[in-house]
Amino acid sequence: MNAVGNALSLARIYGAYVRRREKCSYLPIFIGVETSGLCNLRCVMCPHGLEETRQRRGLMNFQTYCRVIDEARGFVQDADLFGGGEPLMHPRIFDMIAYARQAGIRTRLHTNATLLTPERGRLLLESGLDYLSFSFDGYTKDRYESIRVGADYERSLQNITDFLGQKQQLGGRRPYTVLQSIEDTSERLGPDAQAAKDDLRRRLAGLPLDEFRVIPLHNYGGKVPGSRGQEGRYSPCTFPYYAIYVLWDGTIVPCCVDWWGELGLGNICNTSLVDAWGSDGMRNLRRLLGTRRYKEVPLCSACDRLWRTRRLGIPQRSTQVVRQFIIQHVLGY
């Protein structure tokens, strides 16, 4: 699809969202594929510390993955190849990236960087990956390791800088590389934390890091205690208007927060993505969220995504997704 077509696609999605359409006449342009439901860390703000999460985790079968991509070919433009786990735990993640690329789908990966060896870095760079984000929360060693339980501050940071060095040596633009950190954006950092943040930026200066991004803490539908709840002005979730997700076991869901398949729309083994997109379950979700009946959806009832600051009528976090889409597809990054 050309730049004009991509812009029109965004306009169509935006129109359906602001009009709170129950039925969308187009197909999703984005898919999340949970290649790995397993993780090597137990971060304090993540549902992986919950027993109900650990009981239902695994790696996606490669044949299942190929079926997802084969169905998505032709209408999906971007794919997140991660979900509730660490994607570098999957032994075929590089084949998965390449397979999606061959289908004409741009690929995105989000990693904690703890397993990012130079060899894996080389394979990522050779795979054709379009977007890579590193989770790096807490700017000091003590703070980082108290949040990212099981990780080592210096080792993770070295893995990131080594990868950026590899990318620099190759001289290419891809993957678009982001260091992402979670902060309580309602509060100012103390002087020590700010100094550590500034020092981290200096350590990454001169390397091909495209963006240093700060995001607010998310409560995963109220599953994670202590995160911020309902604040601001209500906005229906944008996910059901442009995206669809497939969990590691093939369960199709409408939301990346639904790690447990509570809003299951079928399984990719017997339900197509097209049928799931137009299903009664998806249409009912749009209707309930669009009419502010979110309390009738248990997973949504406590989700802080419905109360995020808005820009142009959509939640602020979603504007970041739109911005990245424009960079990659409309501006031709």
Side-chain angles (χ1 to χ4, degrees):
M1 187 178 292
N2 59 29
V4 173
N6 288 320
L8 290 174
S9 180
L10 280 179
R12 186 164 55 248
I13 293 168
Y14 180 71
Y17 176 76
V18 297
R19 291 176 176 82
R20 310 298 189 243
R21 298 294 192 194
E22 177 183 324
K23 181 179 180 180
C24 295
S25 59
Y26 53 86
L27 293 174
I29 62 171
F30 178 90
I31 190 169
V33 187
E34 188 179 51
T35 53
S36 171
L38 302 177
C39 190
N40 59 322
L41 303 183
R42 289 293 178 267
C43 302
V44 296
M45 69 298 191
C46 177
H48 260 288
L50 303 174
E51 184 63 28
E52 64 177 310
T53 301
R54 292 195 295 270
Q55 290 177 347
R56 297 189 60 189
R57 300 286 90 190
L59 297 175
M60 179 172 279
N61 178 279
F62 188 71
Q63 285 68 40
T64 300
Y65 172 81
C66 291
R67 181 165 186 159
V68 173
I69 297 301
D70 289 344
E71 286 199 20
R73 184 194 306 261
F75 59 89
V76 165
Q77 299 183 42
D78 291 86
D80 275 355
L81 302 187
F82 60 89
E86 168 52 50
L88 292 183
M89 292 187 73
H90 202 298
R92 301 200 65 178
I93 188 62
F94 311 106
D95 295 330
M96 290 172 158
I97 296 168
Y99 193 83
R101 287 289 293 170
Q102 291 168 7
I105 298 173
R106 298 174 68 95
T107 53
R108 301 158 57 99
L109 216 64
H110 194 71
T111 175
N112 59 40
T114 60
L115 304 177
L116 186 59
T117 62
E119 174 63 13
R120 288 181 175 135
R122 179 185 64 81
L123 291 171
L124 282 178
L125 289 165
E126 293 176 351
S127 67
L129 183 68
D130 293 288
Y131 180 101
L132 179 64
S133 177
F134 297 116
S135 294
F136 200 84
D137 305 306
Y139 304 116
T140 65
K141 177 179 174 65
D142 289 345
R143 181 61 174 160
Y144 171 86
E145 292 178 3
S146 69
I147 295 172
R148 296 260 155 196
V149 179
D152 179 272
Y153 176 87
E154 289 295 343
R155 184 174 301 169
S156 298
L157 185 54
Q158 188 64 54
N159 291 346
I160 292 170
T161 56
D162 285 348
F163 174 82
L164 292 172
Q166 289 177 297
K167 179 184 174 184
Q168 191 170 53
Q169 286 183 345
L170 290 178
R173 293 191 304 170
R174 292 185 175 86
Y176 186 93
T177 309
V178 176
L179 189 140
Q180 179 173 289
S181 186
I182 296 174
E183 287 182 13
D184 184 344
T185 54
S186 68
E187 300 178 0
R188 293 178 63 88
L189 289 177
D192 291 342
Q194 186 60 57
K197 183 178 181 179
D198 293 341
D199 181 63
L200 177 60
R201 287 181 178 274
R202 283 192 292 271
R203 292 181 66 170
L204 297 171
L207 294 171
L209 182 69
D210 297 289
E211 188 175 348
F212 192 112
R213 179 179 298 169
V214 174
I215 64 170
L217 184 63
H218 177 46
N219 71 3
Y220 292 94
K223 300 283 187 179
V224 180
S227 53
R228 304 184 72 83
Q230 296 181 0
E231 297 182 0
R233 185 178 175 187
Y234 176 82
S235 298
C237 185
T238 56
F239 290 149
Y241 292 91
Y242 75 94
I244 200 162
Y245 296 81
V246 183
L247 302 181
W248 70 273
D249 62 356
T251 301
I252 305 171
V253 294
C255 174
C256 65
V257 174
D258 190 7
W259 291 17
W260 309 271
E262 295 179 19
L263 304 177
L265 304 171
N267 191 286
I268 194 67
C269 295
N270 49 44
T271 303
S272 71
L273 296 176
V274 173
D275 286 344
W277 178 252
S279 66
D280 290 342
M282 185 69 97
R283 293 174 64 176
N284 185 55
L285 179 63
R286 296 189 191 109
R287 178 173 57 83
L288 293 176
L289 295 178
T291 56
R292 201 165 177 158
R293 293 165 60 189
Y294 59 91
K295 291 183 179 179
E296 296 180 34
V297 188
L299 188 67
C300 302
S301 62
C303 186
D304 57 13
R305 286 185 181 273
L306 301 179
W307 303 91
R308 295 287 173 85
T309 302
R310 303 199 305 180
R311 290 181 180 174
L312 301 177
I314 62 176
Q316 183 173 337
R317 183 72 184 276
S318 295
T319 63
Q320 295 178 351
V321 176
V322 173
R323 173 177 172 271
Q324 191 60 41
F325 185 91
I326 291 172
I327 288 173
Q328 293 183 334
H329 296 282
V330 180
L331 302 180
Y333 178 85

